[in-house]
Every structure is written in structure tokens, then in C-alpha cells.
Amino acid sequence: MLAGLSQSARGHLAMLAFSALVAGSFSLGVLAAPHIDPGALSVARFVLAGVLVGAAAVATTGIPRSAWVAPWRYLVLGGLLGAYFVLMFEGLKTAPPVSAAAVFTLTPLMAAGFGWLFLRQRLTGRMAVALGIGGVGALWVIFRADLAALKAMAIGRGEVIYFVGCVAHAAYAPLVRKLNRGEPAVVFTFGMMLAGTVLLALYAGPAVLATDWATLPWVVWVTLVYVAVAASALTFVLLQYASLRLPAAKVMAYTYLVPSWVILWEIILHGSVPPGLVLVGVALTVLALGLLLEE
């Protein structure tokens, strides 16, 4: 089936899967966040996902010695994603999952800026309009369709913390293309995860040691397995794969689907349906995705 697809189409398919998988981490993360330090959870996440990706690399392409040339590349990328995940779970302590997902949809606009800065990728007029529409839709959801809150810029602390993490995530996509030297996606991902694990362990070592892992509630373990396997190991490879085949803004455009996926997760897990006016903002982000994906 994949054999007949162009490289660009394969990149789009990878990002569609990415958006579906990453959405679950918001709904599960908000349940687990109060019970464990974000740094400790992120270390465990990187260790487990790193083992899985490393095993996949050995079993498929192998890990050539040339992959370890210029290891600083992995430190840069691992540091960016490590910061993103720590700040994500810190933000989810107070930010509602749909609102946090809306913050995530601001990353295409930032990724476009980083794409120009690092790769001199330029926006077309349609892409600029689409990013603007998506940004408006995201803000509408973040402020929960409350014009008074929007005018007062009454944004929650959790959303602000997570936004800083999204800046790091947005820089990641164009840097993958800039720093990759021909390594297969799974090998490059393993190098990044290994470096990210070291950096996170240095940052959150005390929190890891202070955590009573044996008494953590089941929701933390379910979340850990999900974010390590589905929302880390798989999505890291998918993001690497797509970033080598699509412009940074188009890669991150798929984040516009995340609020829609999160709403489905919230309905399934909690029977929670957002107000109709909030869904207007979600519809705008989906419209933005359609505009961005047009050639």
C-alpha cells in the first residue's frame, strides 16, 4: 500500500498518525499529573521509549558508527523535547486537556518562524492565512469562547507554562532536517532520546529518587506506558520521518487536529462534551489544516 505513495504523501500519513497518538497524552496526562513530578515521569518516559526505539533500530537498519558523528546534535534535539515534556505535564496540573491541546496548535505558526530562521523556508500567502485562522481558532479554545477573558488576557498559569514548552517543540521540527546527516529516522530518534534521557536525568535525578514508584496509582502507570510507547517512541519516529519529507510548517500543521482528537478522548473517558461555542474554535483549526495541506 505504501509503495505506491510519494515521499510527500508518506510524510502526511505519518503526521496523521502522529496527531491521533499524541492527543491521548493530554487526556491521560491531566489524570496523572497530580500524582508524580513531571521531571520524574519524563525520565521514565524517555528510558522506556528509548529502549523500544533502540531495539527497533538494531533490528531494522542497525546503528552505524557514523550515526555518532557530532553528538551535540542529539543533545540539542533531546534537550528541546525533554523541556517540552516536562513543561507539558507541569502545565497539565492546572490546564484543561482541550485548552492545552489548543495551545499545542500554536506550534505551526512558531514552526514556520523557526523554519525560516533555520532553513529559510518561506510561507506562501495561503499558508500565512491558514496559520492565522488556526491561531485565532486556538485562542478561541484557550479562552473557552469567553470574549471578556480574551480581552482581559485571562489565560491560565498551566497554559502559559505549556506554551513555553511548545516553543521548544516548534523549534524541534526544522532542526531535525537541518541536523540530520542521512541517518535513518529510527536511528536519529534513538540518538536524540539517549541524549534527552541523560539531560533529563541530570535535571530530575532527585525527583526520580524521591518518587515512591511502588505506591503510584494505576493511572500513572497507564499514562507512562501510553506516553512512552504511543506518544513517544512511535510519535518521535513519525515526526522524524515526516520532517525529512515535508516543510516544517506543514509538519506542525497536523497539530491542528489534536484538539478534535482530544475532544473524542474526553467524550470516551469522561463523557465530557465542550460547549458549542468552543467547538467553533476547533472547526477553525481544522479549516486551517485543510488550507495548509493544499498544494
Side-chain angles (χ1 to χ4, degrees), residues 96-145:
V98 175
S99 184
V103 175
F104 190 50
T105 63
L106 295 175
T107 52
L109 186 59
M110 295 185 285
F114 284 118
W116 177 85
L117 181 64
F118 298 135
L119 301 171
R120 290 299 184 263
Q121 293 176 343
R122 297 186 179 277
L123 287 178
T124 64
R126 179 189 288 120
M127 290 176 71
V129 170
L131 290 173
I133 292 174
V136 170
L139 289 173
W140 188 249
V141 177
I142 292 167
F143 289 100
R144 300 168 185 81

Coordinates of all heavy atoms in Angstrom, one line a residue, residues 96-145:
P96 N -6.9 22.6 31.5 CA -7.8 21.5 31.0 C -7.2 20.9 29.7 O -6.5 21.6 29.0 CB -9.1 22.3 30.7 CG -9.0 23.5 31.4 CD -7.6 23.9 31.5
P97 N -7.5 19.6 29.4 CA -6.8 19.0 28.3 C -7.2 19.6 27.0 O -6.3 19.7 26.1 CB -7.3 17.5 28.4 CG -8.5 17.5 29.3 CD -8.3 18.7 30.3
V98 N -8.4 20.0 26.7 CA -8.8 20.6 25.4 C -8.1 22.0 25.3 O -7.6 22.3 24.2 CB -10.3 20.8 25.3 CG1 -10.6 21.5 24.0 CG2 -11.0 19.4 25.3
S99 N -8.0 22.7 26.4 CA -7.3 24.0 26.3 C -5.8 23.8 26.1 O -5.2 24.6 25.3 CB -7.5 24.7 27.7 OG -7.0 26.0 27.6
A100 N -5.2 22.8 26.7 CA -3.8 22.6 26.5 C -3.5 22.1 25.0 O -2.6 22.6 24.4 CB -3.3 21.5 27.4
A101 N -4.5 21.3 24.5 CA -4.3 20.9 23.1 C -4.4 22.1 22.2 O -3.8 22.2 21.1 CB -5.4 19.9 22.8
A102 N -5.2 23.1 22.6 CA -5.3 24.3 21.7 C -4.0 25.1 21.8 O -3.6 25.7 20.8 CB -6.5 25.2 22.2
V103 N -3.4 25.1 22.9 CA -2.1 25.8 23.0 C -1.1 25.1 22.0 O -0.3 25.7 21.3 CB -1.5 25.7 24.4 CG1 -0.1 26.3 24.5 CG2 -2.4 26.6 25.4
F104 N -1.2 23.8 22.0 CA -0.3 23.0 21.1 C -0.5 23.4 19.7 O 0.4 23.3 18.9 CB -0.6 21.5 21.3 CG 0.3 20.6 20.6 CD1 1.7 20.7 20.8 CD2 -0.1 19.5 19.9 CE1 2.6 19.8 20.2 CE2 0.8 18.6 19.3 CZ 2.1 18.8 19.5
T105 N -1.7 23.8 19.3 CA -2.0 24.2 17.9 C -1.3 25.5 17.5 O -1.4 25.9 16.3 CB -3.5 24.3 17.6 OG1 -4.1 25.3 18.4 CG2 -4.2 22.9 17.9
L106 N -0.7 26.2 18.5 CA 0.0 27.4 18.1 C 1.4 27.1 17.6 O 2.1 27.9 17.0 CB 0.2 28.3 19.3 CG -1.1 28.9 19.9 CD1 -0.9 29.7 21.2 CD2 -1.8 29.8 18.9
T107 N 1.8 25.8 17.7 CA 3.1 25.4 17.2 C 3.4 25.6 15.7 O 4.5 25.9 15.3 CB 3.5 24.0 17.7 OG1 2.5 23.1 17.3 CG2 3.7 23.9 19.2
P108 N 2.4 25.4 14.8 CA 2.6 25.6 13.4 C 3.1 27.0 13.1 O 4.0 27.2 12.3 CB 1.3 25.2 12.7 CG 0.6 24.3 13.7 CD 1.0 24.8 15.0
L109 N 2.5 28.0 13.7 CA 2.9 29.3 13.5 C 4.3 29.6 13.9 O 5.1 30.2 13.2 CB 2.0 30.3 14.2 CG 2.2 31.8 13.9 CD1 2.0 32.1 12.5 CD2 1.2 32.6 14.8
M110 N 4.7 29.0 15.1 CA 6.0 29.2 15.6 C 7.0 28.3 14.7 O 8.1 28.8 14.5 CB 6.1 28.8 17.1 CG 5.3 29.7 18.0 SD 5.5 29.3 19.7 CE 4.5 27.8 19.9
A111 N 6.6 27.1 14.3 CA 7.4 26.3 13.5 C 7.7 27.0 12.2 O 8.8 26.8 11.6 CB 6.7 24.9 13.2
A112 N 6.8 27.7 11.6 CA 7.0 28.4 10.4 C 8.1 29.5 10.6 O 9.0 29.7 9.7 CB 5.7 29.1 9.9
G113 N 8.1 30.1 11.7 CA 9.1 31.1 12.0 C 10.5 30.5 12.2 O 11.5 30.9 11.6
F114 N 10.5 29.3 12.9 CA 11.8 28.6 13.1 C 12.3 28.0 11.7 O 13.4 27.9 11.5 CB 11.7 27.5 14.1 CG 11.7 28.0 15.5 CD1 10.6 27.8 16.4 CD2 12.8 28.7 16.0 CE1 10.6 28.3 17.7 CE2 12.8 29.2 17.3 CZ 11.7 29.0 18.1
G115 N 11.3 27.6 10.9 CA 11.6 27.1 9.6 C 12.3 28.1 8.7 O 13.3 27.8 8.0
W116 N 11.9 29.4 8.8 CA 12.6 30.4 8.1 C 13.9 30.7 8.7 O 14.9 30.9 8.0 CB 11.8 31.7 8.1 CG 12.5 32.9 7.4 CD1 12.5 33.2 6.1 CD2 13.3 33.8 8.1 NE1 13.3 34.2 5.9 CE2 13.8 34.7 7.0 CE3 13.7 34.1 9.4 CZ2 14.7 35.7 7.3 CZ3 14.6 35.1 9.6 CH2 15.0 35.9 8.6
L117 N 14.0 30.7 10.0 CA 15.3 31.0 10.7 C 16.3 30.0 10.5 O 17.5 30.4 10.2 CB 15.0 31.1 12.2 CG 16.2 31.5 13.1 CD1 16.7 32.9 12.8 CD2 15.8 31.4 14.6
F118 N 16.0 28.7 10.5 CA 17.0 27.7 10.4 C 17.2 27.2 8.9 O 18.3 26.8 8.6 CB 16.6 26.5 11.3 CG 16.5 26.8 12.7 CD1 15.5 26.3 13.5 CD2 17.5 27.5 13.3 CE1 15.4 26.6 14.9 CE2 17.5 27.8 14.7 CZ 16.4 27.4 15.5
L119 N 16.1 27.2 8.1 CA 16.2 26.6 6.8 C 15.8 27.6 5.7 O 15.8 27.2 4.5 CB 15.2 25.4 6.7 CG 15.5 24.3 7.7 CD1 14.3 23.3 7.7 CD2 16.8 23.6 7.5
R120 N 15.4 28.8 6.1 CA 15.0 29.8 5.1 C 13.8 29.3 4.3 O 13.6 29.6 3.1 CB 16.1 30.2 4.1 CG 17.2 31.0 4.8 CD 16.7 32.3 5.4 NE 17.7 33.2 5.9 CZ 18.0 33.3 7.3 NH1 17.3 32.5 8.1 NH2 18.9 34.1 7.7
Q121 N 12.9 28.5 4.9 CA 11.7 28.1 4.3 C 10.7 29.3 4.4 O 10.5 29.9 5.4 CB 11.1 26.9 5.1 CG 11.9 25.6 4.9 CD 11.3 24.5 5.8 OE1 10.5 24.7 6.7 NE2 11.7 23.3 5.5
R122 N 10.1 29.6 3.2 CA 9.2 30.8 3.2 C 7.8 30.3 3.1 O 7.4 29.3 2.5 CB 9.6 31.6 1.9 CG 11.0 32.2 2.0 CD 11.3 33.1 0.8 NE 12.6 33.7 0.9 CZ 13.0 34.7 1.6 NH1 12.1 35.3 2.4 NH2 14.2 35.1 1.7
L123 N 6.9 31.2 3.7 CA 5.5 30.9 3.7 C 4.9 31.5 2.4 O 5.2 32.5 1.9 CB 4.8 31.7 4.9 CG 5.0 31.1 6.3 CD1 4.4 32.0 7.3 CD2 4.5 29.7 6.4
T124 N 3.9 30.7 1.9 CA 3.1 31.2 0.8 C 2.0 32.0 1.4 O 1.7 32.0 2.6 CB 2.5 30.1 0.0 OG1 1.6 29.3 0.8 CG2 3.6 29.2 -0.6
G125 N 1.2 32.8 0.6 CA 0.1 33.5 1.1 C -0.9 32.7 1.7 O -1.5 33.0 2.8
R126 N -1.2 31.5 1.1 CA -2.2 30.6 1.6 C -1.8 30.1 3.0 O -2.6 30.0 3.9 CB -2.5 29.5 0.7 CG -3.5 28.5 1.2 CD -3.6 27.2 0.4 NE -4.3 27.4 -0.9 CZ -3.7 27.2 -2.0 NH1 -2.5 26.8 -2.1 NH2 -4.3 27.5 -3.2
M127 N -0.5 29.7 3.1 CA -0.1 29.2 4.4 C -0.1 30.2 5.5 O -0.5 29.9 6.6 CB 1.4 28.7 4.2 CG 1.5 27.4 3.4 SD 3.2 26.9 3.1 CE 3.6 26.3 4.8
A128 N 0.2 31.5 5.2 CA 0.1 32.6 6.2 C -1.4 32.7 6.6 O -1.6 32.9 7.8 CB 0.6 33.8 5.6
V129 N -2.3 32.7 5.7 CA -3.7 32.9 6.0 C -4.2 31.7 6.9 O -4.9 31.9 7.9 CB -4.6 32.9 4.8 CG1 -6.1 32.8 5.1 CG2 -4.3 34.2 4.0
A130 N -3.7 30.5 6.5 CA -4.1 29.3 7.3 C -3.6 29.3 8.7 O -4.3 29.0 9.6 CB -3.6 28.0 6.6
L131 N -2.3 29.7 8.8 CA -1.7 29.8 10.2 C -2.5 30.9 11.0 O -2.7 30.7 12.2 CB -0.3 30.2 10.1 CG 0.6 29.1 9.5 CD1 2.0 29.6 9.3 CD2 0.7 27.9 10.5
G132 N -2.9 32.0 10.4 CA -3.7 33.0 11.1 C -5.0 32.5 11.5 O -5.4 32.7 12.7
I133 N -5.7 31.7 10.7 CA -7.0 31.2 11.0 C -6.8 30.2 12.2 O -7.6 30.1 13.1 CB -7.7 30.5 9.8 CG1 -8.1 31.5 8.8 CG2 -8.9 29.7 10.2 CD1 -8.6 30.9 7.5
G134 N -5.8 29.3 12.0 CA -5.6 28.3 13.1 C -5.2 29.0 14.4 O -5.7 28.5 15.5
G135 N -4.5 30.1 14.4 CA -4.1 30.8 15.6 C -5.3 31.4 16.3 O -5.5 31.3 17.5
V136 N -6.2 32.0 15.5 CA -7.5 32.5 16.0 C -8.3 31.4 16.7 O -8.9 31.6 17.8 CB -8.3 33.2 14.9 CG1 -9.7 33.6 15.4 CG2 -7.6 34.5 14.5
G137 N -8.4 30.3 16.0 CA -9.2 29.1 16.5 C -8.6 28.6 17.8 O -9.3 28.3 18.8
A138 N -7.3 28.6 17.9 CA -6.6 28.1 19.1 C -6.9 29.1 20.2 O -7.2 28.6 21.4 CB -5.1 28.0 18.8
L139 N -6.8 30.4 20.0 CA -7.1 31.3 21.1 C -8.5 31.3 21.5 O -8.8 31.4 22.7 CB -6.7 32.7 20.6 CG -5.3 33.1 20.4 CD1 -5.1 34.4 19.7 CD2 -4.5 33.0 21.7
W140 N -9.4 31.0 20.6 CA -10.8 30.9 21.0 C -11.1 29.8 21.9 O -11.8 29.9 22.9 CB -11.7 30.7 19.7 CG -13.2 30.8 19.9 CD1 -14.0 29.7 19.8 CD2 -13.9 31.9 20.2 NE1 -15.3 30.2 20.0 CE2 -15.3 31.5 20.3 CE3 -13.6 33.3 20.4 CZ2 -16.3 32.4 20.6 CZ3 -14.7 34.1 20.7 CH2 -16.0 33.7 20.8
V141 N -10.4 28.6 21.7 CA -10.5 27.5 22.6 C -9.8 27.7 23.9 O -10.3 27.4 25.0 CB -9.9 26.2 21.9 CG1 -10.0 25.0 22.9 CG2 -10.7 25.9 20.6
I142 N -8.6 28.3 23.8 CA -7.8 28.6 25.0 C -8.6 29.4 26.0 O -8.6 29.2 27.2 CB -6.4 29.2 24.7 CG1 -5.5 28.2 23.9 CG2 -5.7 29.7 25.9 CD1 -4.4 28.9 23.3
F143 N -9.2 30.5 25.5 CA -10.0 31.4 26.4 C -11.5 30.9 26.5 O -12.3 31.6 27.0 CB -10.0 32.8 25.8 CG -8.7 33.5 25.9 CD1 -7.8 33.5 24.9 CD2 -8.3 34.0 27.2 CE1 -6.5 34.1 25.0 CE2 -7.0 34.6 27.3 CZ -6.2 34.7 26.2
R144 N -11.7 29.6 26.1 CA -13.0 29.0 26.3 C -14.2 29.8 25.8 O -15.3 29.9 26.4 CB -13.2 28.7 27.8 CG -12.1 27.7 28.4 CD -12.1 27.7 29.9 NE -11.0 26.9 30.4 CZ -9.8 27.4 30.5 NH1 -9.5 28.6 30.2 NH2 -8.8 26.6 31.0
A145 N -14.0 30.4 24.6 CA -15.0 31.2 23.9 C -15.6 32.3 24.8 O -16.7 32.7 24.6 CB -16.2 30.2 23.5

